[in-house]
Amino acid sequence: MIYDSHNTRLKGERLTMTFEYANFEKTIAQLETNPELHARFLNTLSLLEYIGARKILKSQKEEKISSQILAHAAEEIRHAQTFKKLALKMSSGKLSTYSEDHLLCGKEAREYFQSLDQAVHAEIGEDSYTNYLFTTLLIEERANQIYPIYEPVLARAGYPGVLKAIVKEEDSHLKDILTSLQEQGREQKKDRPSMSVDKMIELRMLEAAAFEKFISTVHAAALNLGSLGQTAEKKPASDSQVETASGEAQPGLTRGSTQDSKHTNHANANPSPNHGNANAPQSKG
């Protein structure tokens, strides 16, 4: 299935969706008061960017790898490194890995990515490159929506301008993806089915729901772990007890070579067992 660039108004304007950001803004405001949890959230963003780069390289066949795809993967790795460096600075070097206790809701972050993979795959089928384009489209749109909101928070934390540079590259990725979808649409035969406006709206709504689920979990964890830390500080407990309470482990990345093969069932998506092979929908993060 291809993208119908005429019906979805890619020529000159993007199909508009209205997203509510109140929960995201509340979440980052809560994290701003707790540097320890904020550092873990930054490390989780690093994980998402890393997953995106890994999926790009794992999903595309060697004969299909272009300079643009290599550049995209390289930039996602650089974004992952940028967030990792911030997490290390904010945690005084503690968050060195993507282990569970170094992340904030890492499991839910991975589930967000997987739900998009599954939804796009259910709609597109076994075309790995088209899957890459559509999943990337959804994620780049999300990055371009939330990173500008998050940028002032990082600036107040002492890291101004970091997200502005990332947003510039993410916006460039989005433009490249839109151009590729337009070109693909022109190359396809007229009798091939196209991605309708309704289907794109459905995919964007699914992405919004998946992202909201992830951020709601982060917000709840930040409130819970933050209150645990405050309670521990008020009690006449030992330093080790306080540290244990404030550093309680959250669900995180499952380690091992089969990371991409673990899936999340979604009400609007048909889970596919093929995420580990080249034809499965593996894409940007």
Side-chain angles (χ1 to χ4, degrees):
M1 186 166 289
I2 61 172
Y3 198 60
D4 187 332
S5 61
H6 176 72
N7 287 338
T8 48
R9 302 196 302 273
L10 278 182
K11 295 178 181 178
E13 63 176 306
R14 214 174 293 156
L15 183 64
T16 302
M17 290 290 292
T18 300
F19 295 101
E20 296 295 335
Y21 301 113
N23 204 18
F24 179 71
E25 291 174 339
K26 286 192 301 183
T27 300
I28 58 177
Q30 177 68 20
L31 292 172
E32 193 172 10
T33 67
N34 192 320
E36 179 185 352
L37 296 182
H38 194 178
R40 287 170 60 179
F41 179 69
L42 282 165
N43 202 32
T44 305
L45 292 181
S46 176
L47 168 69
L48 282 169
E49 297 281 357
Y50 161 71
I51 290 174
R54 186 179 67 201
K55 283 178 176 290
I56 291 171
L57 296 176
K58 288 182 67 175
S59 68
Q60 303 306 303
K61 296 179 180 179
E62 289 183 0
E63 60 269 24
K64 297 292 185 180
I65 295 290
S66 65
S67 176
Q68 178 179 312
I69 291 176
L70 285 175
H72 187 185
E75 287 171 359
E76 299 312 318
I77 285 291
R78 188 165 66 250
H79 298 169
Q81 176 72 339
T82 296
F83 284 126
K84 170 66 78 173
K85 286 181 177 179
L86 294 182
L88 286 168
K89 288 180 180 179
M90 199 173 288
S91 68
S92 300
K94 295 178 183 178
L95 305 182
S96 57
T97 72
Y98 291 141
S99 61
E100 293 185 6
D101 58 338
H102 287 189
L103 299 168
L104 187 61
C105 302
K107 176 178 177 289
E108 288 76 9
R110 293 184 69 249
E111 288 174 350
Y112 163 72
F113 221 127
Q114 295 298 89
S115 68
L116 301 187
D117 267 351
Q118 293 165 13
V120 172
H121 182 257
E123 187 60 40
I124 301 298
E126 298 294 336
D127 185 337
S128 63
Y129 180 66
T130 305
N131 274 281
Y132 156 72
L133 292 177
F134 277 106
T135 307
T136 300
L137 174 68
L138 294 171
I139 294 177
E140 296 292 1
E141 286 180 341
R142 174 59 59 188
N144 277 269
Q145 290 157 0
I146 65 167
Y147 282 173
I149 299 173
Y150 187 32
E151 198 279 330
V153 174
L154 281 183
R156 289 193 293 271
Y159 310 109
V162 173
L163 277 178
K164 287 182 180 179
I166 291 179
V167 166
K168 184 176 180 180
E169 290 187 340
E170 300 288 23
D171 187 60
S172 177
H173 296 164
L174 184 55
K175 290 175 181 177
D176 288 342
I177 292 299
L178 293 174
T179 298
S180 295
L181 285 168
Q182 285 182 316
E183 291 174 350
Q184 188 183 62
R186 287 192 292 267
E187 292 171 0
Q188 295 292 341
K189 295 179 180 180
K190 293 181 179 180
D191 59 350
R192 286 286 300 276
S194 61
M195 180 75 77
S196 67
V197 174
D198 289 343
K199 285 296 183 181
M200 278 309 305
I201 290 175
E202 184 179 329
L203 284 174
R204 283 187 171 101
M205 290 178 67
L206 184 145
E207 186 281 329
F211 181 76
E212 180 69 13
K213 179 180 178 182
F214 165 56
I215 287 299
S216 294
T217 307
V218 172
H219 184 59
L223 288 174
N224 181 46
L225 293 177
S227 63
L228 283 174
Q230 292 172 2
T231 301
E233 288 175 3
K234 293 177 181 179
K235 291 180 179 180
S238 66
D239 290 340
S240 61
Q241 290 173 318
V242 173
E243 185 174 9
T244 300
S246 63
E248 185 174 297
Q250 290 297 302
L253 175 65
T254 302
R255 304 178 73 177
S257 60
T258 60
Q259 290 169 356
D260 284 342
S261 65
K262 296 183 180 295
H263 310 300
T264 302
N265 291 330
H266 194 285
N268 296 322
N270 296 322
S272 168
N274 299 318
H275 283 270
N277 58 42
N279 290 325
Q282 312 281 354
S283 46
K284 193 266 169 205

